[in-house]
Amino acid sequence: MKAKIQPRINLDDRTALQDVIPLETPFILFVDPSSACNFRCTFCPTGDRDLIKGTGRFQGVMDFDLYRKIIDDLALFPQSIKVLRLYKDGEPLLNKRFADMIAYAKNSGRVPYIDTTTNGSMITPERMGPLIEAGLDKINISAYGMTRAEYMDFTKYDFDLAKFVENVKWLYDHKRDCEIVIKIPGELITEAERREFFDTFGDYCDRIFIENFAPCWPDFDVETRLGVTIDTGIYQQPISITDTCPYIFYAMSINADGLASACFVDWGRKLQVGDARLHSLPEIWNSREFNELRMIHLEGKRMQHPVCSKCGQLSHCRPDNIDQFRDELIPKMKMRIEGVA
C-alpha cells in the first residue's frame, strides 16, 4: 500500500498556541463555497433538511463577488494566513466556480495553502482537472460505505461506488502536487470491509484513515441518530475534556451567505461575530462579539455558554489544549482588546 495510515489533520509539529495568542492574523480561514449538500447523511445537521429549514439558514452557494471581497480583505491583515479551508457545512463542489475560487486565492499572494473536504460524488475528471490546475493543495475525500446499499442507507444518495473508485484512481494519477486523503467512519463498515477499504484505496491516495464519529455539533445528537455509543476520539485517541476552545483563537469561518461564525461547527448560526458583506475580515477577527466569546473561554466559563457547553469537538477532536495557560493569556488578551478598541 502506497498511502500512509494517517489522519487528515497534522498532529505533529503544531504551533504552541500559548506562545502566539493573541494573533493579529488568524492561522486558518474557513470559507464555505456551498452551505447545501446533495447527501442527506443521518450523522450531519446539513443532511436534515427540516432541521436546517427551521434555523432559517441560507442554503446555496457563495456569490463570487462576495468571495473576491473576502480574499481581498486578507491584504488588510499584517501577515498572511496559513491555510484557506474551502469547506464548512455543505458540499463545496456544488459551487460551479470552485476552481475560480482556488485560482483567485492563489493569485492573491495572501494564501499559501488551500484544502477542501468533499463527499466524493462529483470527483470526475471534468470537475477535478480545473481544481488541480488552479492549485488545490489538499483534498480530503469522505467515504461512507463500501457498498451502494450502505451509501443509500446512511446518505440517502444512490452512489455509484464503482465509478467513484475509478474517479479516485484518475485523480491520483493526475494530482500533481495535490495531497489526497481518503477517510471513512469505522462505525459504518464491517471488520471485513475495513480491510477492503485499505485494499481498494490504499494505492490511490497519500493518506488513508478509518475515523470514528464524533459528537462535535452542538444541539445535534449524533449518537441517538446513529444508534451508537461514541467512547473514543475521532482519530482513535482517548477522549479528554477541556474548558477552553483553542479554535476561536486561531481560526474564523465565513458562511456561504457571508455571515461570520466564530466556529466552524456553528451549523445553526448561533455564534455569529460579523458579516463579511458589511465588515472587513480584520474587523470581524477583532470584533467585540468574538473577543467576548474568547474571554468567556479564558475565564473558565465555557460550560455556562448556551452553545459552547454542548460542543463535542473539544472532547473528541481537539488537537490543542491551552487550559493550563489561561491565567497568563487573560492579560495578553485584554491588552489586545484594548489596543484594537
Side-chain angles (χ1 to χ4, degrees), residues 3 10 27 32 64 70 87 89 91 108 133 155 160 170 191 199 215-216 229 232 261 267 290 300 340:
N10 295 322
F27 285 164
D32 202 6
F64 193 69
I70 292 167
Y87 67 93
D89 292 315
E91 169 51 49
S108 73
E133 183 73 26
T155 73
D160 190 336
W170 182 93
E191 285 298 321
D199 291 343
C216 53
T229 299
T232 308
S261 289
W267 65 271
F290 215 153
V340 298

Side-chain angles (χ1 to χ4, degrees), residues 26-31 77 247-248 250-254 260-264 273 280-285 290 294:
F27 285 164
I28 300 173
L29 176 64
F30 286 82
V31 175
F77 284 116
Y247 299 107
I248 57 177
Y250 69 84
M252 63 187 294
S253 302
I254 308 298
S261 289
C263 178
F264 60 93
V273 291
S280 70
L281 293 189
E283 286 175 332
I284 296 170
W285 181 244
F290 215 153
R294 292 173 179 131

Side-chain angles (χ1 to χ4, degrees), residues 218-275:
D219 296 313
F220 187 84
D221 192 339
V222 173
E223 291 180 311
T224 297
R225 287 171 177 263
L226 280 174
V228 300
T229 299
I230 302 172
D231 53 13
T232 308
I234 189 172
Y235 307 118
Q236 302 174 10
Q237 80 278 22
I239 295 171
S240 60
I241 306 299
T242 181
D243 285 328
T244 316
C245 176
Y247 299 107
I248 57 177
F249 292 92
Y250 69 84
M252 63 187 294
S253 302
I254 308 298
N255 298 301
D257 58 356
L259 291 176
S261 289
C263 178
F264 60 93
V265 298
D266 181 31
W267 65 271
R269 307 299 186 262
K270 295 180 180 180
L271 295 174
Q272 293 182 33
V273 291
D275 188 333

Side-chain angles (χ1 to χ4, degrees), residues 12-62:
D12 299 324
D13 301 320
R14 296 181 67 82
T15 299
L17 293 177
Q18 65 272 13
D19 296 337
V20 297
I21 294 173
L23 290 168
E24 292 183 305
T25 305
F27 285 164
I28 300 173
L29 176 64
F30 286 82
V31 175
D32 202 6
S34 170
S35 60
C37 186
N38 54 336
F39 280 16
R40 299 185 63 184
C41 298
T42 310
F43 41 83
C44 174
T46 300
D48 189 328
R49 303 287 197 269
D50 292 334
L51 181 67
I52 295 301
K53 185 177 180 180
T55 68
R57 192 181 94 182
F58 169 74
Q59 288 290 86
V61 301
M62 177 173 279

